[in-house]
Amino acid sequence: MRSIGRSEDHVSVYIDAKLNGLAPAPPERCIFKVHHQLRSVNEEAYEPEMLAIGPYHRGKNRLQVMEEHKLRYLRQLLERRSESSVAKYVFELRGLEERARNCYAEPVNLSADEFVEMMLVDGFFIIELFRKHAMRKLRNISDPLFNMDWIHKCLVRDTMLFENQLPFFVLYQLFNLTLDPEMHYDLVDIALHFFRCPLQSLGNARNFSENSNDETKHLLDLVHSNMLASFVETKSNGSASNKGTLGFIQCAAELVEAGVKFKRAYGRNLFDIKFKNGTMTIPCLIIEDQTESYFRNLIAYEQYSQDNHLNCISDYVKFMDCLINSSKDVELLCRHRIIENWLGDHEVVATMFNKLGDYVVVNNLCYAEILNEVNRYCCRRWNVWMAKLRRNYFNSPWALLSFLAAVLLLLLTSTQTVFSVLSFVFQ
């Protein structure tokens, strides 16, 4: 039998052909599908409830109701501008199609025409949604998207999903093409205004120019960038230290047993956590229906980021997970107004934080030094002794009176003993 030469081997020829036809990964990739391990913990947190934006969830039956609202918003925009056709916008978007398509990490099975249609309809819907939220005079009186609070909350949530994004430069281009010179606002302002209600820690809108447009990847990145600005400000003020290894720390209830006191910090910066002289100050976090979805999608974005110095949300969640082991810890933090639990069930909040960190990789933690300081404080016997004293004798007025009576009795007994000894000596 004649042996097959190396150059004739059909396996090598097949693999060589696949390698030669393999396109390089586009550097613009910034919109991913969340990987199975992260998604499996809570798949619903990454799925849109009402609104499909972009190609990943396009065409799903349960999301078709919003497609009519998208077209209605587009028609209202054209009427407001006294226009009867979208031809000029389609022409502009055709020039952006290839660049926008490269932003999606997963294959997009849409033709060029379908992709351009998606960018136009979805893009203008988002822009009009932001405009109508910021300017009431643009709203239709019978618009259900603003007349029903639950719909509006769903839209806020769905526009923040990692898989539910359009490239920001598409939105920016459409916004500029329909900019009304009489209205003094920009896209970043109205976008952050739209997201400000559910997220207490959004910073002020950063300076945004035509040059910095390319730096923002999508709306979730915009939200994250502004939260990151608050985080960086916190680090510069010394609240968060340089990153370090995550170590063990007792939960909140056990820390109280060891003498640590908790206090609510006031301000809009979620990350301004401090520990000084045995007191840990933590800003208030409101927990409501959509909180887990917000956290999970921001964390997913951080996990896919090439810059591991941007993990402000992952770091914060890991820190809170250290403090919360059970409903008892949540109850304690609620009592100190560090957590406002709008869900009502403390066990649900504890489970949420315990699972938020599943399959999340955090190599270093910016709060490591705070945790180390807490551990050092709890190891001092004097602090533990004082904590037990306060817990056992100073936790109620009657306990305090009993303690003082015991001390007084001890002093009187000691005084009587001293006088008895002195009288015996000087006899």
Side-chain angles (χ1 to χ4, degrees):
M1 179 182 293
R2 183 176 68 88
S3 61
I4 299 176
R6 179 175 298 179
S7 60
E8 299 174 351
D9 192 316
H10 61 277
V11 175
S12 65
V13 172
Y14 175 69
I15 294 177
D16 289 343
K18 290 182 70 173
L19 293 175
N20 292 332
L22 185 64
E28 299 94 345
R29 292 194 310 174
C30 60
I31 304 173
F32 296 81
K33 284 189 175 180
V34 179
H35 62 267
H36 169 71
Q37 290 90 341
L38 202 57
R39 175 183 286 274
S40 64
V41 183
N42 185 354
E43 186 169 0
E44 292 182 357
Y46 308 100
E47 291 281 333
E49 294 177 345
M50 295 186 63
L51 175 66
I53 296 294
Y56 289 159
H57 298 280
R58 178 182 172 87
K60 291 185 176 180
N61 291 332
R62 60 186 177 81
L63 304 176
Q64 292 308 300
V65 175
M66 285 302 301
E67 297 305 309
E68 183 178 338
H69 287 287
K70 292 180 184 178
L71 294 175
R72 187 175 293 113
Y73 270 30
L74 178 56
R75 184 175 64 185
Q76 291 173 5
L77 171 65
L78 295 175
E79 291 174 351
R80 194 170 69 241
R81 295 179 57 80
S82 301
E83 297 175 351
S84 59
S85 173
V86 296
K88 71 175 184 179
Y89 305 118
V90 170
F91 176 79
E92 291 288 339
L93 290 178
R94 285 202 182 277
L96 299 178
E97 188 230 331
E98 182 178 358
R99 181 185 172 194
R101 192 183 288 267
N102 287 337
C103 291
Y104 294 93
E106 306 294 330
V108 177
N109 298 319
L110 296 176
S111 67
D113 289 346
E114 291 172 332
F115 195 88
V116 170
E117 177 191 354
M118 176 201 71
M119 288 194 294
L120 188 144
V121 175
D122 290 0
F124 272 137
F125 175 77
I126 290 175
I127 291 169
E128 283 296 284
L129 185 67
F130 290 172
R131 283 172 172 159
K132 290 173 185 289
H133 180 264
M135 292 163 283
R136 290 180 176 270
K137 65 180 181 180
L138 299 182
R139 302 178 195 173
N140 190 311
I141 298 177
S142 59
D143 189 344
L145 305 192
F146 288 95
N147 291 341
M148 300 181 186
D149 291 340
W150 69 271
I151 294 181
H152 182 70
K153 287 184 65 176
C154 286
L155 294 177
V156 174
R157 173 195 178 275
D158 286 353
T159 48
M160 266 192 62
L161 299 180
F162 190 26
E163 299 179 349
N164 221 28
Q165 299 294 323
L166 284 180
F168 193 79
F169 60 81
V170 172
L171 298 177
Y172 192 67
Q173 181 74 352
L174 293 175
F175 178 82
N176 285 338
L177 289 172
T178 56
L179 186 62
D180 188 337
E182 295 183 359
M183 298 180 180
H184 303 288
Y185 56 83
D186 63 27
L187 180 56
V188 171
D189 286 333
I190 60 176
L192 292 179
H193 183 263
F194 183 76
F195 292 118
R196 192 172 298 279
C197 292
L199 297 166
Q200 313 98 288
S201 59
L202 279 179
N204 295 324
R206 55 197 171 106
N207 293 329
F208 198 76
S209 64
E210 192 170 347
N211 293 331
S212 60
N213 169 44
D214 292 334
E215 299 175 5
T216 301
K217 300 177 180 66
H218 41 69
L219 291 175
L220 183 61
D221 174 51
L222 178 65
V223 171
H224 184 273
S225 296
N226 278 267
M227 297 184 78
L228 183 64
S230 297
F231 177 77
V232 172
E233 180 183 356
T234 298
K235 288 189 66 175
S236 65
N237 292 336
S239 299
S241 63
N242 294 327
K243 287 180 175 287
T245 304
L246 174 62
F248 171 79
I249 187 176
Q250 296 171 300
C251 64
E254 292 174 345
L255 289 177
V256 170
E257 296 282 330
V260 174
K261 295 183 286 293
F262 286 90
K263 183 179 178 181
R264 174 175 173 171
Y266 289 88
R268 296 185 61 86
N269 191 338
L270 189 67
F271 310 107
D272 192 15
I273 301 171
K274 298 178 182 178
F275 181 75
K276 186 177 181 181
N277 298 329
T279 299
M280 185 178 293
T281 54
I282 305 175
C284 177
L285 172 66
I286 297 174
I287 305 290
E288 45 96 18
D289 293 340
Q290 315 290 5
T291 301
E292 182 172 359
S293 180
Y294 297 143
F295 275 137
R296 285 195 176 278
N297 282 273
L298 287 163
I299 290 171
Y301 170 70
E302 291 180 347
Q303 291 292 289
Y304 281 89
S305 174
Q306 296 180 357
D307 190 347
N308 60 6
H309 296 289
L310 304 181
N311 297 336
C312 59
I313 304 298
S314 301
D315 285 355
Y316 174 81
V317 167
K318 283 289 187 182
F319 179 84
M320 294 299 290
D321 186 28
C322 290
L323 294 181
I324 297 173
N325 280 348
S326 68
S327 59
K328 183 179 179 181
D329 302 306
V330 177
E331 182 182 2
L332 186 150
L333 295 175
C334 287
R335 195 162 61 245
H336 289 85
R337 301 181 64 196
I338 292 170
I339 288 179
E340 290 188 14
N341 184 8
W342 292 5
L343 300 179
D345 191 333
H346 295 333
E347 188 64 39
V348 171
V349 176
T351 302
M352 181 191 78
F353 275 107
N354 295 159
K355 288 184 174 295
L356 275 173
D358 289 358
Y359 302 107
V360 175
V361 178
V362 179
N363 295 323
N364 295 302
L365 187 71
C366 66
Y367 300 107
E369 183 55 34
I370 291 179
L371 299 184
N372 291 334
E373 289 179 11
V374 172
N375 283 332
R376 286 193 293 268
Y377 180 87
C378 293
C379 288
R380 297 170 189 160
R381 292 187 177 182
W382 170 258
N383 295 326
V384 176
W385 184 82
M386 287 299 297
K388 290 181 178 179
L389 185 66
R390 285 192 296 267
R391 182 175 66 254
N392 295 333
Y393 298 103
F394 300 155
N395 59 352
S396 72
W398 295 112
L400 177 60
L401 289 174
S402 299
F403 175 79
L404 293 176
V407 171
L408 180 61
L409 181 61
L410 179 62
L411 290 174
L412 291 174
T413 302
S414 300
T415 304
Q416 184 180 9
T417 302
V418 170
F419 277 109
S420 298
V421 171
L422 291 176
S423 63
F424 177 78
V425 170
F426 291 103
Q427 280 182 353

